[in-house]
Amino acid sequence: MSADPTILLAQTQKITPPSIEYSSLSPLLIVFVVALVGVLVDAFATRGARRVIQPVLAGGGFIAALVAVAVLHGRHAVLAKGAVAIDAPTLFMQGTILVFALLSVLLVAERQLDSSGGAIVASAAITPGSKGSTAQQTSADMQTEAYPLMVFSVTGMMLFVASNNLLVMFVALEILSLPLYLLAGLARRRRLLSQEAAMKYFLLGAFSSAFFLYGVAFAYGFAGSVELGKVADAVGAVGKNDTYLYLSLALLAVGLFFKIGAAPFHSWTPDVYQGSPTPVTAFMAAGTKVAAFGALLRVFYVAFGGLRWDWRPVLWTVAILTMVVGAVLALTQRDIKRMLAYSAVAHAGFLLVGLAGTNTDGLRGSMFYLVTYGFTTIAAFAVVSLVRTSDGEASDLSQWRGLGRTSPLLAGTFSFLLLALAGIPLTSGFTGKFAVFQAAIEGDATPLVVVALVCSAIAAFFYVRVIVLMFFSEPLAEGPVVVTRPTLTFATVGIGTVATLVLGVAPQPLLDLANTAATSGFVR
């Protein structure tokens, strides 16, 4: 009787599991474990305990992961069979994401904004406009699932910037995006607007993910692998189908341009920024941009670095369109959050200017810019959450009239942050723009810098318009109220403002850190 060939094959072939250095992946693993523990806390802890445990757990997890990132300083390796890369740029951006996530947790945990005690809805399942929906606006409860959702999203962001494999990068993209789709619909007030934002974000996000996945498929068809290093090795090889190569590059770029909010893939940005809870908006504006640009830099510098003379003109076009659309459309906005959303679009264009330099200085300038922009924008959205009416946040610009006379300290702080976004000297915004513009000039992209300077001048107009409205207009008779109780939000505003000032006056330590990371380069 003959033996079963399947049994014989199993006996002759020994499956070797991949070797994984868990210590090098510790920042990712810490955040992932914290997310899982957060789910268990929400399932088994009492309602009152959850509101205390969840923010402490999330914040503590981010701090522990940040320490792990610092311990890994200088590590340069490809792990998990080529799936994950740990190098200086990756650790720099992972640390940046964790800092911004920690500040965002402070905003989400704020209980003193109004009588309800938070920006997150008490129960997302209640139909907007119903009796229960009205009652929960003043409820002391909140949807504490927001914390593990944030932590899961941070896990995806950290994996996104570390991915050395396009398929792993797609998985990371979904891990960071799916929680954000849910978080966008958890606003306590203006529930219909929030749910509309979540739906638009989900539909357009799924559409962009499909583009990215098709790009992964074409990359595999071209190189026979989805590892970034092997794709780079296949670029320019004889006998390869270049049609697959360029289709892959185009489709991957569309998916990544969507996540950074670059035109013409920016249409989700104003609606989602406006409808989401403001702490979530701040989290998205800072964290998602770092993660998306980290992945964009890795894909363009590592996988398609050999094609830079082919993708550079396209990058120029997208950068110019993004800066013009963001700066011009921001002029027409009457909602403060929509204005900051179009400002984010314009800043994505400025970041692309640094990428267009295609040099080490461009990588350094982009990383430095991401840090400066993140601190400023989180602080700006925190200030927005403090100016309130009986219906919630005073989002209409007309409601900010005369705020500089009734609340000069808050208005002054917001003015300083707006000037930083405009790139005024002695602020981090000026230093960040100088870094990316200098890199572009050294990379023979001077015309792009000229366009960026013109768009910066246009952008300065709508920032200054808000400042003039606050300080040179009469206050409204029944104007908004500035909340003076919230300590966590004040702490966030203070940290962001101080960082904006310090990085404008004494930016050299961070520039040196970014330069060291850029000089070390990406591992492949």
Side-chain angles (χ1 to χ4, degrees):
M1 184 176 180
S2 60
D4 189 342
T6 305
I7 298 176
L8 290 175
L9 184 64
Q11 292 174 344
T12 57
Q13 292 185 350
K14 182 180 179 181
I15 298 175
T16 304
S19 176
I20 299 177
E21 298 183 39
Y22 291 101
S23 61
S24 298
L25 297 175
S26 56
L28 265 171
L29 296 177
I30 289 171
V31 177
F32 182 61
V33 170
V34 168
L36 295 179
V37 173
V39 172
L40 295 177
V41 168
D42 229 84
F44 297 107
T46 62
R47 182 180 301 172
R50 291 199 301 264
R51 290 201 63 166
V52 176
I53 297 173
Q54 290 285 27
V56 173
L57 178 65
F62 293 150
I63 293 173
L66 193 58
V67 172
V69 167
V71 170
L72 290 176
H73 176 70
R75 189 82 168 96
H76 204 74
V78 176
L79 310 171
K81 290 291 185 179
V84 179
I86 298 298
D87 48 41
T90 296
L91 294 173
F92 183 95
M93 285 179 280
Q94 284 185 338
T96 303
I97 290 168
L98 289 167
V99 171
F100 294 159
L102 186 59
L103 293 177
S104 301
V105 166
L106 295 180
L107 294 179
V108 173
E110 182 60 73
R111 301 186 184 187
Q112 304 297 325
L113 287 175
D114 54 26
S115 58
S116 64
I120 305 299
V121 70
S123 176
I126 296 178
T127 305
S130 64
K131 183 178 179 181
S133 177
T134 304
Q136 74 172 343
Q137 290 186 4
T138 57
S139 171
D141 296 333
M142 70 168 288
Q143 197 88 36
T144 51
E145 290 91 339
Y147 294 103
L149 286 173
M150 283 184 65
V151 182
F152 273 120
S153 184
V154 172
T155 305
M157 292 176 186
M158 294 177 66
L159 181 59
F160 203 37
V161 299
S163 299
N164 195 52
N165 181 301
L166 289 174
L167 205 55
V168 173
M169 192 173 285
F170 172 74
V171 173
L173 175 63
E174 295 306 297
I175 294 174
L176 80 89
S177 298
L178 291 173
L180 291 178
Y181 301 153
L182 296 172
L183 289 168
L186 296 183
R188 183 178 292 270
R189 298 179 182 273
R190 300 171 184 170
R191 297 286 301 131
L192 282 176
L193 191 64
S194 180
Q195 292 184 353
E196 179 187 352
M199 181 59 69
K200 287 180 178 178
Y201 197 15
F202 169 70
L203 292 177
L204 293 175
F207 195 59
S208 72
S209 295
F211 275 97
F212 190 92
L213 191 57
Y214 275 118
V216 174
F218 279 112
Y220 183 79
F222 167 75
S225 173
V226 290
E227 288 186 25
L228 299 185
K230 292 182 179 179
V231 173
D233 293 337
V235 172
V238 178
K240 292 291 184 180
N241 190 336
D242 287 347
T243 302
Y244 286 175
L245 172 63
Y246 290 111
L247 281 173
S248 171
L249 176 58
L251 292 169
L252 290 172
V254 168
L256 293 170
F257 285 152
F258 173 88
K259 294 310 294 183
I260 67 174
F265 315 104
H266 69 287
S267 58
W268 63 275
T269 309
D271 292 330
V272 174
Y273 276 40
Q274 181 186 17
S276 301
T278 300
V280 174
T281 304
F283 175 59
M284 287 191 295
T288 305
K289 199 171 291 291
V290 175
F293 259 99
L296 186 69
L297 289 166
R298 184 173 291 279
V299 168
F300 275 72
Y301 275 70
V302 177
F304 300 106
L307 291 176
R308 64 184 59 194
W309 297 111
D310 293 301
W311 54 253
R312 201 179 183 209
V314 177
L315 194 66
W316 277 45
T317 304
V318 173
I320 292 172
L321 184 62
T322 302
M323 289 185 291
V324 171
V325 168
V328 173
L329 291 185
L331 294 172
T332 65
Q333 304 305 311
R334 298 296 306 169
D335 186 277
I336 193 75
K337 290 174 72 174
R338 290 183 72 88
M339 186 200 76
L340 291 174
Y342 279 109
S343 169
V345 173
H347 282 280
F350 298 141
L351 278 160
L352 289 175
V353 171
L355 178 58
T358 63
N359 51 27
T360 302
D361 289 336
L363 180 58
R364 178 196 64 183
S366 297
M367 291 192 294
F368 179 80
Y369 197 113
L370 287 168
V371 176
T372 60
Y373 172 77
F375 275 116
T376 305
T377 197
I378 286 179
F381 279 110
V383 171
V384 170
S385 69
L386 293 172
V387 184
R388 308 184 71 82
T389 66
S390 58
D391 296 327
E393 294 166 352
S395 58
D396 193 276
L397 281 177
S398 62
Q399 297 173 313
W400 289 64
R401 294 175 61 91
L403 190 67
R405 301 185 183 185
T406 58
S407 301
L409 180 59
L410 185 76
T413 302
F414 193 55
S415 299
F416 175 74
L417 296 171
L418 292 177
L419 292 175
L421 292 173
I424 300 301
L426 299 182
T427 67
S428 62
F430 172 80
T431 313
K433 284 185 178 179
F434 182 83
V436 294
F437 292 172
Q438 183 185 39
I441 292 172
E442 293 179 356
D444 296 325
T446 303
L448 193 59
V449 175
V450 173
V451 176
L453 290 172
V454 173
C455 291
S456 295
I458 296 172
F461 176 81
F462 60 77
Y463 294 128
V464 173
R465 180 183 62 175
V466 178
I467 297 173
V468 171
L469 191 69
M470 290 191 295
F471 286 95
F472 298 98
S473 300
E474 290 295 329
L476 297 174
E478 297 181 0
V481 175
V482 174
V483 184
T484 58
R485 296 186 303 273
T487 55
L488 295 178
T489 304
F490 284 158
T492 305
V493 173
I495 293 171
T497 304
V498 170
T500 300
L501 177 62
V502 171
L503 293 177
V505 177
Q508 200 57 48
L510 183 60
L511 279 172
D512 290 341
L513 185 62
N515 186 61
T516 301
T519 303
S520 299
F522 292 108
V523 68
R524 45 172 287 189

